[in-house]
Amino acid sequence: MSAYRQPVSTFWWLHQWSYLLFVLRELSSVFVAWFVVYLLLAVSAIADGPAAYQDFVAWSGGGWVLVLNVVALAFVLLHAVTWFALAPKAMVVPHVPPWVVLVGHYLAWAVLSAAVAWLVLR
Amino acid sequence: MTAFHNIVVVGGGGAGLRAAVAIAEANPLLSVAIVSKVYPMRSHTVSAEGGAAAVIAEGDTIDEHAYDTVSGGDWLTDQDAVEAFVEEAPKELLRLEHQGCPWSRRPDGHIAVRAFGGMKKKRTWFAADKTGFHLLHTLFQTSLSCSDIVRYDEWFVTKLLSDEGRVHGVVAIEMATGRIETIIANAVIVCTGGCGRVFPFTTNANIKTGDGMALAYRAGAPLKDMEFVQYHPTGLPFTGILITEATRAEGGWLLNKDGYRYLQDYDLGKPTPEPVMRSMELGPRDRLSQAFMHEHAKGRTIDTPYGPVVHLDLRHLGAQVIDTKLPFVRELCSKYERIDPVKELIPVRPVVHYMMGGVHTDINGATPVEGLYAAGEVACVSINGANRLGSNSLPELLVFGARAGQAAAEYVRTLQKGSTSAAYAQGRDEERRLTKELRKHDAGTERIADIRTEMQTTMEDGAGIYRDGDSLDKAFVKLHELRERFDRAAVDDHSTTFNTELVALLELDFMLDIAQSIVACAIKRTESRGAHQRTDFPKRDDEKFLAHSLVHRPNKVEYLPVTITRWPPGERVYGR
Amino acid sequence: MARKRTTITMEVTRFRPGEDSEPTLQSYEVPLRKEWAVLDGLNHIKDHLDGTLSYRWSCRMGICGSCGMTVNGKPQLSCATFLVDYAPGPVRVEPLRNFPVIRDLVVDISDFMTKLPKVKPWLIHEGETPEGEFLQTPQEMDEYKKYSMCINCMLCYSACPVYALEPEFLGPAAIALGQRYNLDSRDDGDRRDVLASAEGVWACTFVGECSTACPKGVDPAGAIQRYKLTAAVAALKDFLLPRGARR
Ligand SMILES: Cc1cc2nc3c(=O)[nH]c(=O)nc-3n(C[C@H](O)[C@H](O)[C@H](O)COP(=O)(O)OP(=O)(O)OC[C@H]3O[C@@H](n4cnc5c(N)ncnc54)[C@H](O)[C@@H]3O)c2cc1C
Ligand code: SF4
Ligand code: FES
């Protein structure tokens, strides 16, 4: 017996919206990595003194870095939102409806972001 | 090609799996194989809905279960078998519970039981309305932990090897490759289920073609009580999909075209809003299906393109009860009828459901052929007599599957070594026959489906809910003609890979034997009892027929007295 | 003048090993009836038009799991998918994706059958078995109930791109069945070695299509996500706690 192995098409991920979304989410890891690098560069610039920091800010505001960061932000948001959407599936808390778990995650996110913003902008 | 096992179990449904595990437990040294034409979890046990009866509730007794079973079977049951059955059923269901079966529970965590037709007490265990599904998957998954059981999945058994009244194994085709193999065994347990597909309109799956009955019959084992075919009163028109009796146990009503609970006109009690045990909608299946026929004759049924129907009314139960106790019923109605039983009436009509008859066995599943055992719907022990009570079949699979497994293991232990050379020769003959069969049918002129359809309508017309000498004789002649036409059936598919047309041919071959045996038994039984209703002999005749029909090949009928222990024949009283 | 169509075209995959080098589509015209499932159309073909077509089916009521096929690109139970919903057609019926095709619409599921026992889909109970039943409240049963509804139809495997790319992946149904026992109050088993392996839950990147495809509401994607958290917490405990304090 020689069964026929159905080939996986190269563009399988375009066949369905959910597959595309899945591939985009996988891709988002590259941008998460970029943000880490960017953050390290920022830290190093701050450590090198005000002048270096000014240069860093100017570099960040210019052409491709700005575009890259906007795209990266979109991907990171996609990652965060889809990640949160999974949370109620992974964390099944007795007597707590799934949407509460979801809202809880967003609340925690908001609180943390506010705390960071307060620290930085104070 | 040949293989060897101590015991071969044919069939991986509830009975087959239970038997195989029983053998492995009785003697771990034995080599056991399950040969099944579908993956075990696809077996038709999977579609049982309502539940499994066994005494566990306070206030219920083993004796009451026995009496309900005996009277439900119109005293054609063997009472020693029934006593063993009711005694062992609770142990078997508990065993399944210990293996993880998700039986529905009371709020306190104990097993819940529901009412069922013909039962005086609530004693039917259930897993919502997917009892058979959970039962089968629990058995199958548990069997996976028992790595000693060899499985031949999707292998079709075509013949039992037998020589001088003793069985020596089977011949089977591996569907995926077309390989034909002789499997030698010291004992064979046939657990192939029923034969509902002999009729046109049935709740039974496509695989229920009576293969095992025909296999055993051809190997010299007689079939017993084949004239007793159960019609379930509530099947969906067109598909024949079952709407479980549990709908009525939970309080559903049967209404005719005027919205009238017609069962009150047929000596089944008075209508009450709440269900009453052994009364009205909770009467036995034979009586309910017969009542439908009378309503139809009176013009009080509703005509549809797929035959007359009555209505099953669940609306008063409410969404809450339906969703927790009968979710599958709601799913089936919405899928296959596009109706919602919470708000609408369900159209239903009687449908062929279960074969009370089967391979003649003793209380341990042994047939008169040495080394050949049978259990489950394929067998007739008999605990079902002339009419099976709903929810008795699932526990029967377990109780008698286990008994047959243990008996076969014991038989193999004490077996004298015999010669198997005759078996090998038979295996080779069978291989040649199968290869030739394919080639012979090459030039065929008849379509398999046409012969099958004609056989089915012949059975419905001649041996339906009501039959008489005339209709049966006609059916017998017609079946004979169909058998001749079968020799000219065409097989267009010559592939050895997953040839389902060849399978259909072999199944039709089996079904024609079974159809004939049903009609032969029905012709001889000139009385009416349970599911066998002769309009020309409307009375039960204990004088002559308190006896099982035994049919030997070809269609030779004799009688065997019924075993009575504690319940002398009496009147079947429901609703009074 | 618009006349109601009374037939529909079914385009069905044909493949016979040895004879065909790859699958082709063959068209058949079948009656279009309100009650007919895709499976009824196939049975009409087999009985009246072409006896050589092969496919699996049995219960025709959506419970045996035999009849999974790809219908117009989506994995479906052919006995529970209706022709009228694809009118005016044509409706394309292909074998389930991601499995080797044995013949026509019949695929080879032996990969699943070998993976299933690996998750130990049976009750493992330590200590005494009670005389009567184990007590289990309806709430305790609800914990695992939906994962016990799997009919092994393989639609989820067919929908899963991870399984397509990484055939080693245990897959949605097998993991859900492992979870079915993990979450059963009667079970004390440990299935971590298998479920938390690289071929287990961690291979899943949450596409979620398995749960969309599942005809029985099993939600295998949810089972997998849930087990990821369980496995992560267990691994953390192993790391932080001394041996004796673990459980
Ligand atoms: C819709 C429906 C609902 C039901 N509900 C209930 C209920 O609620 N309660 C109750 O008690 N009973 C119920 N019954 C009856 C009960 O389910 C059956 O009688 C029982 O499941 C039969 O089990 P079995 O093990 O004998 O056979 P099956 O489960 O039918 O298994 C037969 C096995 O034999 C194999 N086989 C057959 N022929 C061959 C061959 N030639 N070669 C190899 N293998 C072969 C098949 O592959 C299969 O594995 C119901 C029946 C139906 C149809
Ligand atoms: S999880 Fe759902 S889709 Fe997957 S095999 Fe089970 S029932 Fe089918
Ligand atoms: S035929 Fe059983 S699920 Fe479709």
Side-chain angles (χ1 to χ4, degrees), chain B residues 175-299:
Chain B
M175 310 255 298
T177 61
R179 179 157 65 119
I180 302 168
E181 186 145 308
T182 300
I183 307 175
I184 301 288
N186 302 130
V188 175
I189 310 181
V190 178
C191 302
T192 54
C195 57
R197 287 274 155 179
V198 169
F199 287 81
F201 185 61
T202 175
T203 60
N204 286 194
N206 185 41
I207 57 171
K208 301 201 72 168
T209 46
D211 303 5
M213 295 174 189
L215 287 168
Y217 193 41
R218 291 174 184 187
L223 302 179
K224 184 158 77 187
D225 294 339
M226 293 298 284
E227 63 273 43
F228 297 97
V229 177
Q230 178 166 79
Y231 278 75
H232 193 292
T234 58
L236 293 180
F238 177 61
T239 56
I241 289 173
L242 177 80
I243 297 301
T244 170
E245 195 160 287
T247 51
R248 285 170 279 130
E250 296 300 336
W253 298 327
L254 281 172
L255 308 176
N256 67 13
K257 84 172 204 276
D258 308 318
Y260 172 72
R261 288 174 72 184
Y262 60 91
L263 294 176
Q264 60 190 288
D265 298 352
Y266 301 96
D267 194 21
L268 283 157
K270 292 273 152 290
T272 51
E274 295 297 314
V276 173
M277 314 295 275
R278 279 180 73 113
S279 167
M280 289 294 290
E281 281 84 1
L282 287 181
R285 291 176 179 172
D286 54 340
R287 299 277 298 274
L288 264 58
S289 294
Q290 289 151 19
F292 172 93
M293 296 299 278
H294 292 290
E295 280 300 285
H296 179 54
K298 291 179 193 158

Side-chain angles (χ1 to χ4, degrees), chain B residues 11-12 14-15 36-37 43-45 50-51 157 192 211 377 388 391 393-394:
Chain B
S36 176
K37 66 177 172 180
S43 304
H44 199 53
T45 299
V157 174
T192 54
D211 303 5
E377 191 172 339
R388 170 181 75 104
S391 77
S393 173
L394 293 176

Side-chain angles (χ1 to χ4, degrees), chain A residues 1-6 8 12 15-16 18-19 22 25-26 82-83 86 89-92 94-95, chain C residues 15 17 22-23 96-102 159 161 164-165 205-207 209 219 222 225-226 229:
Chain A
M1 181 190 70
S2 48
Y4 176 77
R5 301 212 167 253
Q6 305 182 69
V8 181
W12 62 269
H15 289 193
Q16 211 154 303
S18 60
Y19 292 171
F22 154 68
R25 190 173 57 236
E26 295 290 284
T82 50
W83 177 260
L86 294 187
K89 297 228 175 238
M91 294 176 59
V92 178
H95 312 300
Chain C
F15 171 72
E22 60 176 53
L96 279 182
R97 305 236 161 96
N98 300 345
F99 293 97
V101 182
I102 295 179
L165 300 169
T205 43
F206 206 83
V207 184
E209 272 305 289
D219 190 15
Q225 287 327 104
R226 195 165 168 189
L229 188 68

Side-chain angles (χ1 to χ4, degrees), chain B residues 39 41-42 44 46-47 49 56 94 97-111 128 130 133-134 137-138 140-142 144-145 151 153-154 176 197 202-207 238-241 306 328 331-332 335-336 338 447 449-450 452 492-493 495 497-501, chain C residues 16-17 19 33 35-36 40 46-66 79-80 82 84-85 102-103 106 109-110 113 116-117 121-123 129-138 141 144-145 148-153 177 180-181 184 186 216:
Chain B
Y39 282 101
M41 71 280 182
R42 315 274 190 233
H44 199 53
V46 81
S47 61
E49 300 172 24
I56 186 170
L94 268 179
E97 196 281 328
H98 294 155
Q99 292 172 345
C101 185
W103 296 114
S104 291
R105 306 286 177 151
R106 305 193 313 221
D108 64 3
H110 286 281
I111 299 289
K130 286 194 181 169
F133 163 79
H134 286 298
H137 280 255
T138 304
F140 176 61
Q141 289 166 5
T142 306
L144 295 176
S145 70
R151 285 207 329 267
D153 292 339
E154 301 197 318
R197 287 274 155 179
T202 175
T203 60
N204 286 194
N206 185 41
I207 57 171
F238 177 61
T239 56
I241 289 173
Y306 299 105
F328 194 36
E331 183 187 327
L332 290 170
K335 271 249 151 67
Y336 295 94
R338 302 195 181 216
R447 283 203 78 81
D450 292 344
R452 189 172 56 214
D492 302 328
D493 192 345
S495 169
T497 310
F498 225 95
N499 188 334
T500 48
E501 199 178 30
Chain C
R16 264 160 299 176
E19 291 169 52
R33 305 229 170 95
E35 300 80 5
W36 276 28
D40 293 302
K46 175 122 193 133
D47 287 352
H48 302 291
L49 307 177
D50 184 350
T52 68
L53 180 66
S54 273
Y55 49 95
R56 291 192 183 100
W57 70 288
S58 180
C59 71
R60 59 82 184 85
M61 57 191 279
I63 192 76
C64 76
S66 310
C79 72
F82 294 84
V84 281
D85 296 332
I102 295 179
R103 153 110 194 241
V106 179
I109 63 162
S110 48
M113 296 305 284
L116 181 61
W122 50 79
L123 199 83
T129 306
E131 181 94 348
E133 70 268 46
F134 288 112
L135 295 188
Q136 183 170 69
T137 62
M141 187 181 299
Y144 68 88
K145 183 88 200 193
S148 74
M149 295 303 209
C150 173
I151 61 173
N152 304 354
C153 65
L177 283 165
R180 174 249 173 275
Y181 286 96
D184 191 320
R186 298 165 288 185
K216 295 290 138 181

